[in-house]
Every structure is written in structure tokens, then in C-alpha cells.
Amino acid sequence: MINKFLAKAKLLKLILMRVVATGLALTISIVVVRELPLEQVGLYYLYVTLSYLANALIFVGADYNLQRLLHDLSEKKSINLRELFKYFSLVLIPGFLLVFAFGTAYMYATSGTGLIVGLACASLASMTFLSALMRNLLQLAGMATKSAIVNLFEQMMRLGITMLVIKAGFHTGESIIVANSIGAMLAAASGLGLIYHFTTRDKGVYFFGYTKLIKNIIPIGSSGLMNWMQLQGYRPYVNYAFQRPDLIGAVSFLTSLGSTAANACLAILGQIWIPKQYASRGEATPRYFKIAVACIIGLALASLPAGWVFLHATNHLDLMPYVFLVPAGVLVEGGNTLIGIHTNHRNATGQPLWIIPMATLGGIIVTALILICPIEAKALPILIAAALISGQLAILAIIASHNIFIKRRLSVEQ
């Protein structure tokens, strides 16, 4: 009885911290939209997309690889900090250079200047990776509350520094990227401090050379790259093809309202169920999947009136015709969660991950085919929403079809 009460109290604490963190993240979006011209808002989201390239291609796969190596961290509560430093340092180097080169080249191709943007985007990518890595390690070690504290601290730092930057007169997308980078860096440092304080030292080895690391992250990295192209590729495309960063700002802001709220709620489920997936070697996956689907449907229904309220808070009632993008953001983030559940299941059970990039390739093809349809610029938000949702549905359909095929083949062989 006492254990059940403590478990419920812990869950409520996690929910409260996640709600507060989500509120802070949404406040950051509102502050940016209220204080910056919509064109600069669009450039800010474009820079976020450029920075996410390293996360998609390298960092997510490196994170999964490290979690696999430390799968028993919750039991041992020990970690080799020197090896951990070596691991994320050697992962950061190629990720930083990748974003810097790509971001600088893209901006020079579209606007004739881009060195500062490249550096800012590369810094954001690197610091965001470190912050996420520290949170994931804390969660893997069974310290979900401390992981949530680091997330809450990061949002507080991002909001506070963003407001300081704006009050100092820097009303550009680059300045907000720098503010986010500093906030993520401070959060990463706090997370590392918690890991140092609450874990013992061991002699584990985590980095076995770039050849082995690349081999381990190729399935996730290739899938992440295509996921980046599918879900965020419209931003550089619209900026290049239509020269309408204001539309990028409108679409990105509204979809991010839905995706941020959905991510917050679904991340709470992840804190509870992802460790169960690994501990049970995948047996907890079906129940986790059903609960996630129910939450996604509920959030999508609730997000439309919520979006109406937030648009009033930003004084951008001119965006009201596009309020449907808020539930679209929920559905897109929900698709990411369901794909992630399947990825975790295969990772926990030691199954090959090749189906993830194959399914994502199908999703990106569907998304691209819809996006290239000839259409007037003012109708782009509708087209983008249709492309994003259709791409996610295509990925889930391919994964489901593969699972059904495998089950039928196994039943025939038996």
C-alpha cells in the first residue's frame, strides 16, 4: 500500500514538473512570436532546423548506442565519467562540424552570408545533444525525477536568457538561437553534476572507435536524417522556393504549440514505460503503445481550443485561419512517439533496426510528393500539414505491415 502511494506521488511530481516545463517552453514561443517580426520568427525556426541535422544524423544514434551499452545502469548505479567525457567529446566533433558546414553553405546560397548562423546552429546542436544525453542517462539510471528537474531547469534558463537578449535589443533569429544554446549548456552541466553526485565510478568502456560507432548508429542515423527531411525539410524548401520566412514562422509556431504540448505529456509516459520496455525485454511494449495512442487522440481533440487561446496571447489573430496546424502538430509528434516506441522495442529485444530507415524512406517519399504539388504561397500551410501527417501515417503503416508479415512467417514455420 505504501509503495503504491509513493509511486503515485512520484508520478504526480513528474507530471507537475513536466507541466511547468511545458508551460515555460510555450512561453518562450509566445515571447518570440510577440517580440520578433514574423519573418525573424521564421528564420529562427529555419535555424533550428539547420541545427537539428547533426541530431538527426549522428546524435540520436549515438544516444541510443550509449543507452544500449549502459542498459544495466539502473541496477549498477555506476558509470565511467572519464569514458563518458571521451564518448560525447568524440561524438560532438563531427556533429559540430557537420552543422557548421551545412548551415554556413545553405545561408550563403540563399542570402549571401552565413558564418555567424553556422556557428550559432552548430552550438545549439551540440549543447542540445549534451543536455538530452544527461537527461536520458539520469532516466536510464532510474532517476526520472532528477531527469525532469534538468529539463525544467533548461526551460527556465532558455526563457530567462531569451528575455534578457530581447530586452537588450537583439530581435533576430540568431540571437534567440544563441540564448537557447546557453540555456542548454547550463542544463547539460547541471545534469552532469547530478550524474557525478548520484552514481559511483566503474571501469566501463563506451567508445570503441569511429568505425564501430558508425556501424552502430547507421540504422538510427539514416532514419533520423530522413525523419529530419520529412518533418522539417519544408522550412529550407519554402525559404528557398518561395522566399517566405513569414510563412515558415506561422506554420512552425502553430505546429510547435501542438508538438510541444504533446511531447510533454508523451514524455511522461516515456519516463515510466521506456525503462519497462528495456527491463521486460519488450513485453511492456503493447500496453505502452495502446496508452500512447489514447493520449494522442485526446491531446489532438483538446489542442484546437487551446491553440485559439494561445493565438490571442500572442496578438497574432491574423493567424487564426491556420489554427488547425496546432492539432496537426500533436498528430505529427504522436507519430514520432509511436515510431520511437517501436524503435525502443527492437533495441531492447536486440532485433535489427533496418525497418526503421526503410519505413522512414517511405514516409519521406509521400511527404515530398505532396509538397511539390503546385500551389499558391497562401495555401502552403494546408499543404504542409497534409504532407506531414500523411508521411507519419505512411511510416506507421509500413512498420505495421512488416510486423504482421513477420508474425505470419513465424506461425507458418512453427
Short mmCIF file of all heavy atoms in Angstrom, two decimals, residues 223-258:
data_model
loop_
_atom_site.label_atom_id
_atom_site.label_comp_id
_atom_site.label_asym_id
_atom_site.label_seq_id
_atom_site.Cartn_x
_atom_site.Cartn_y
_atom_site.Cartn_z
N SER A 223 17.73 6.83 -40.52
CA SER A 223 16.31 7.09 -40.26
C SER A 223 16.11 8.51 -39.76
O SER A 223 15.17 9.20 -40.15
CB SER A 223 15.78 6.08 -39.23
OG SER A 223 14.44 6.37 -38.91
N GLY A 224 17.02 8.95 -38.87
CA GLY A 224 16.92 10.32 -38.34
C GLY A 224 17.08 11.37 -39.42
O GLY A 224 16.39 12.39 -39.41
N LEU A 225 18.01 11.12 -40.36
CA LEU A 225 18.20 12.07 -41.45
C LEU A 225 16.94 12.18 -42.29
O LEU A 225 16.50 13.30 -42.64
CB LEU A 225 19.37 11.61 -42.32
CG LEU A 225 19.63 12.44 -43.58
CD1 LEU A 225 19.99 13.87 -43.21
CD2 LEU A 225 20.73 11.81 -44.43
N MET A 226 16.34 11.05 -42.61
CA MET A 226 15.11 11.08 -43.40
C MET A 226 13.96 11.66 -42.61
O MET A 226 13.10 12.37 -43.16
CB MET A 226 14.79 9.68 -43.91
CG MET A 226 15.77 9.18 -44.97
SD MET A 226 15.33 7.59 -45.67
CE MET A 226 15.75 6.50 -44.32
N ASN A 227 13.93 11.39 -41.30
CA ASN A 227 12.90 11.99 -40.44
C ASN A 227 13.04 13.50 -40.42
O ASN A 227 12.05 14.24 -40.45
CB ASN A 227 13.02 11.40 -39.03
CG ASN A 227 11.94 11.91 -38.09
OD1 ASN A 227 12.16 12.85 -37.34
ND2 ASN A 227 10.80 11.27 -38.14
N TRP A 228 14.29 13.98 -40.39
CA TRP A 228 14.57 15.42 -40.43
C TRP A 228 14.08 16.00 -41.76
O TRP A 228 13.44 17.07 -41.79
CB TRP A 228 16.07 15.63 -40.26
CG TRP A 228 16.53 17.05 -40.47
CD1 TRP A 228 16.44 18.07 -39.58
CD2 TRP A 228 17.16 17.59 -41.63
NE1 TRP A 228 16.98 19.23 -40.11
CE2 TRP A 228 17.43 18.95 -41.37
CE3 TRP A 228 17.53 17.05 -42.87
CZ2 TRP A 228 18.05 19.78 -42.30
CZ3 TRP A 228 18.14 17.88 -43.79
CH2 TRP A 228 18.40 19.23 -43.50
N MET A 229 14.38 15.31 -42.84
CA MET A 229 13.94 15.79 -44.16
C MET A 229 12.42 15.79 -44.26
O MET A 229 11.83 16.71 -44.83
CB MET A 229 14.54 14.90 -45.24
CG MET A 229 16.05 14.97 -45.34
SD MET A 229 16.75 13.76 -46.47
CE MET A 229 16.08 14.33 -48.03
N GLN A 230 11.78 14.78 -43.69
CA GLN A 230 10.34 14.66 -43.79
C GLN A 230 9.60 15.70 -42.95
O GLN A 230 8.67 16.34 -43.42
CB GLN A 230 9.90 13.26 -43.34
CG GLN A 230 8.39 13.07 -43.33
CD GLN A 230 7.95 12.04 -42.32
OE1 GLN A 230 8.75 11.28 -41.81
NE2 GLN A 230 6.67 12.01 -42.04
N LEU A 231 10.03 15.88 -41.69
CA LEU A 231 9.28 16.72 -40.76
C LEU A 231 9.72 18.17 -40.74
O LEU A 231 8.93 19.05 -40.39
CB LEU A 231 9.38 16.14 -39.34
CG LEU A 231 8.80 14.74 -39.15
CD1 LEU A 231 8.92 14.31 -37.70
CD2 LEU A 231 7.34 14.70 -39.59
N GLN A 232 10.98 18.44 -41.10
CA GLN A 232 11.46 19.82 -41.05
C GLN A 232 11.99 20.32 -42.39
O GLN A 232 12.34 21.48 -42.53
CB GLN A 232 12.55 19.95 -39.99
CG GLN A 232 12.08 19.59 -38.59
CD GLN A 232 13.07 20.00 -37.52
OE1 GLN A 232 13.77 21.01 -37.66
NE2 GLN A 232 13.14 19.24 -36.46
N GLY A 233 12.04 19.42 -43.38
CA GLY A 233 12.57 19.81 -44.67
C GLY A 233 11.77 20.89 -45.37
O GLY A 233 12.30 21.59 -46.24
N TYR A 234 10.50 21.07 -44.99
CA TYR A 234 9.69 22.09 -45.64
C TYR A 234 10.22 23.49 -45.35
O TYR A 234 10.01 24.43 -46.15
CB TYR A 234 8.22 21.98 -45.22
CG TYR A 234 7.93 22.42 -43.81
CD1 TYR A 234 7.63 23.74 -43.52
CD2 TYR A 234 7.94 21.51 -42.75
CE1 TYR A 234 7.35 24.16 -42.23
CE2 TYR A 234 7.66 21.91 -41.46
CZ TYR A 234 7.37 23.24 -41.20
OH TYR A 234 7.10 23.63 -39.91
N ARG A 235 10.92 23.66 -44.23
CA ARG A 235 11.40 25.00 -43.88
C ARG A 235 12.48 25.50 -44.84
O ARG A 235 12.31 26.58 -45.44
CB ARG A 235 11.89 25.01 -42.42
CG ARG A 235 10.78 24.76 -41.41
CD ARG A 235 11.32 24.62 -40.00
NE ARG A 235 10.26 24.28 -39.05
CZ ARG A 235 10.47 23.96 -37.78
NH1 ARG A 235 11.70 23.94 -37.30
NH2 ARG A 235 9.45 23.65 -36.99
N PRO A 236 13.59 24.77 -45.02
CA PRO A 236 14.55 25.24 -46.03
C PRO A 236 13.97 25.24 -47.44
O PRO A 236 14.35 26.08 -48.28
CB PRO A 236 15.72 24.25 -45.90
CG PRO A 236 15.19 23.09 -45.16
CD PRO A 236 14.09 23.60 -44.29
N TYR A 237 13.03 24.32 -47.72
CA TYR A 237 12.42 24.28 -49.06
C TYR A 237 11.58 25.53 -49.31
O TYR A 237 11.71 26.18 -50.36
CB TYR A 237 11.55 23.03 -49.19
CG TYR A 237 10.67 23.03 -50.42
CD1 TYR A 237 11.21 22.87 -51.69
CD2 TYR A 237 9.29 23.22 -50.30
CE1 TYR A 237 10.40 22.89 -52.82
CE2 TYR A 237 8.47 23.23 -51.42
CZ TYR A 237 9.03 23.07 -52.67
OH TYR A 237 8.22 23.10 -53.78
N VAL A 238 10.72 25.88 -48.36
CA VAL A 238 9.87 27.07 -48.52
C VAL A 238 10.72 28.33 -48.57
O VAL A 238 10.46 29.25 -49.37
CB VAL A 238 8.84 27.15 -47.37
CG1 VAL A 238 8.12 28.49 -47.38
CG2 VAL A 238 7.83 26.01 -47.47
N ASN A 239 11.76 28.39 -47.75
CA ASN A 239 12.63 29.56 -47.75
C ASN A 239 13.33 29.72 -49.09
O ASN A 239 13.50 30.84 -49.60
CB ASN A 239 13.67 29.44 -46.63
CG ASN A 239 14.55 30.67 -46.52
OD1 ASN A 239 14.09 31.77 -46.25
ND2 ASN A 239 15.85 30.49 -46.76
N TYR A 240 13.74 28.59 -49.68
CA TYR A 240 14.45 28.64 -50.97
C TYR A 240 13.50 28.86 -52.14
O TYR A 240 13.75 29.70 -53.01
CB TYR A 240 15.24 27.34 -51.16
CG TYR A 240 15.93 27.24 -52.50
CD1 TYR A 240 17.11 27.92 -52.74
CD2 TYR A 240 15.38 26.47 -53.53
CE1 TYR A 240 17.75 27.84 -53.97
CE2 TYR A 240 16.01 26.38 -54.77
CZ TYR A 240 17.19 27.07 -54.98
OH TYR A 240 17.81 26.99 -56.19
N ALA A 241 12.37 28.13 -52.16
CA ALA A 241 11.48 28.14 -53.32
C ALA A 241 10.53 29.34 -53.33
O ALA A 241 10.19 29.85 -54.40
CB ALA A 241 10.66 26.84 -53.36
N PHE A 242 10.10 29.79 -52.14
CA PHE A 242 9.09 30.85 -52.08
C PHE A 242 9.61 32.14 -51.45
O PHE A 242 8.94 33.17 -51.53
CB PHE A 242 7.87 30.37 -51.28
CG PHE A 242 7.11 29.26 -51.95
CD1 PHE A 242 7.43 27.93 -51.71
CD2 PHE A 242 6.06 29.54 -52.81
CE1 PHE A 242 6.72 26.90 -52.33
CE2 PHE A 242 5.34 28.53 -53.43
CZ PHE A 242 5.68 27.20 -53.18
N GLN A 243 10.79 32.08 -50.79
CA GLN A 243 11.31 33.25 -50.09
C GLN A 243 10.26 33.85 -49.15
O GLN A 243 10.03 35.06 -49.13
CB GLN A 243 11.78 34.30 -51.11
CG GLN A 243 12.95 33.86 -51.97
CD GLN A 243 14.24 33.69 -51.18
OE1 GLN A 243 14.67 34.58 -50.48
NE2 GLN A 243 14.85 32.50 -51.30
N ARG A 244 9.63 32.95 -48.35
CA ARG A 244 8.59 33.39 -47.43
C ARG A 244 8.88 32.91 -46.01
O ARG A 244 8.22 32.01 -45.48
CB ARG A 244 7.23 32.85 -47.89
CG ARG A 244 6.69 33.45 -49.19
CD ARG A 244 6.34 34.92 -49.01
NE ARG A 244 5.37 35.14 -47.96
CZ ARG A 244 4.03 35.09 -48.15
NH1 ARG A 244 3.55 34.84 -49.36
NH2 ARG A 244 3.21 35.31 -47.16
N PRO A 245 9.88 33.49 -45.35
CA PRO A 245 10.17 33.10 -43.97
C PRO A 245 9.01 33.40 -43.02
O PRO A 245 8.90 32.78 -41.97
CB PRO A 245 11.42 33.91 -43.61
CG PRO A 245 11.45 35.03 -44.60
CD PRO A 245 10.84 34.49 -45.85
N ASP A 246 8.14 34.37 -43.40
CA ASP A 246 6.99 34.66 -42.55
C ASP A 246 6.04 33.47 -42.50
O ASP A 246 5.46 33.16 -41.44
CB ASP A 246 6.26 35.91 -43.04
CG ASP A 246 5.82 35.79 -44.50
OD1 ASP A 246 6.59 35.23 -45.31
OD2 ASP A 246 4.70 36.24 -44.82
N LEU A 247 5.87 32.77 -43.64
CA LEU A 247 5.03 31.57 -43.64
C LEU A 247 5.67 30.44 -42.84
O LEU A 247 4.99 29.68 -42.16
CB LEU A 247 4.75 31.11 -45.07
CG LEU A 247 3.63 31.83 -45.82
CD1 LEU A 247 3.49 31.26 -47.23
CD2 LEU A 247 2.30 31.69 -45.07
N ILE A 248 7.00 30.36 -42.93
CA ILE A 248 7.71 29.37 -42.11
C ILE A 248 7.44 29.64 -40.64
O ILE A 248 7.20 28.73 -39.85
CB ILE A 248 9.22 29.41 -42.39
CG1 ILE A 248 9.52 29.06 -43.84
CG2 ILE A 248 9.97 28.46 -41.46
CD1 ILE A 248 10.98 29.22 -44.22
N GLY A 249 7.49 30.92 -40.27
CA GLY A 249 7.24 31.28 -38.88
C GLY A 249 5.84 30.93 -38.43
O GLY A 249 5.64 30.38 -37.33
N ALA A 250 4.84 31.20 -39.26
CA ALA A 250 3.45 30.90 -38.91
C ALA A 250 3.23 29.41 -38.74
O ALA A 250 2.68 28.94 -37.74
CB ALA A 250 2.51 31.47 -39.98
N VAL A 251 3.65 28.62 -39.74
CA VAL A 251 3.44 27.18 -39.70
C VAL A 251 4.22 26.55 -38.54
O VAL A 251 3.70 25.73 -37.78
CB VAL A 251 3.85 26.52 -41.03
CG1 VAL A 251 3.77 25.00 -40.93
CG2 VAL A 251 2.97 27.02 -42.16
N SER A 252 5.48 26.95 -38.40
CA SER A 252 6.33 26.35 -37.37
C SER A 252 5.84 26.68 -35.97
O SER A 252 5.83 25.81 -35.09
CB SER A 252 7.78 26.84 -37.54
OG SER A 252 8.28 26.49 -38.80
N PHE A 253 5.41 27.93 -35.76
CA PHE A 253 4.93 28.31 -34.44
C PHE A 253 3.68 27.53 -34.05
O PHE A 253 3.60 26.97 -32.95
CB PHE A 253 4.63 29.82 -34.41
CG PHE A 253 3.87 30.26 -33.20
CD1 PHE A 253 4.42 30.15 -31.94
CD2 PHE A 253 2.57 30.77 -33.32
CE1 PHE A 253 3.70 30.55 -30.81
CE2 PHE A 253 1.86 31.16 -32.20
CZ PHE A 253 2.43 31.06 -30.94
N LEU A 254 2.72 27.45 -34.95
CA LEU A 254 1.46 26.78 -34.63
C LEU A 254 1.64 25.27 -34.45
O LEU A 254 1.09 24.67 -33.51
CB LEU A 254 0.42 27.07 -35.71
CG LEU A 254 -0.07 28.52 -35.75
CD1 LEU A 254 -0.90 28.78 -37.00
CD2 LEU A 254 -0.89 28.84 -34.50
N THR A 255 2.41 24.64 -35.33
CA THR A 255 2.63 23.20 -35.16
C THR A 255 3.45 22.92 -33.91
O THR A 255 3.26 21.90 -33.25
CB THR A 255 3.33 22.60 -36.39
OG1 THR A 255 4.53 23.33 -36.66
CG2 THR A 255 2.43 22.62 -37.61
N SER A 256 4.38 23.83 -33.58
CA SER A 256 5.20 23.61 -32.38
C SER A 256 4.37 23.72 -31.11
O SER A 256 4.70 23.08 -30.10
CB SER A 256 6.37 24.60 -32.34
OG SER A 256 5.92 25.91 -32.09
N LEU A 257 3.31 24.54 -31.13
CA LEU A 257 2.42 24.59 -29.97
C LEU A 257 1.85 23.21 -29.68
O LEU A 257 1.85 22.74 -28.54
CB LEU A 257 1.28 25.59 -30.20
CG LEU A 257 1.62 27.08 -30.15
CD1 LEU A 257 0.37 27.90 -30.43
CD2 LEU A 257 2.20 27.46 -28.80
N GLY A 258 1.35 22.57 -30.74
CA GLY A 258 0.79 21.23 -30.56
C GLY A 258 1.85 20.19 -30.24
O GLY A 258 1.66 19.36 -29.34
#
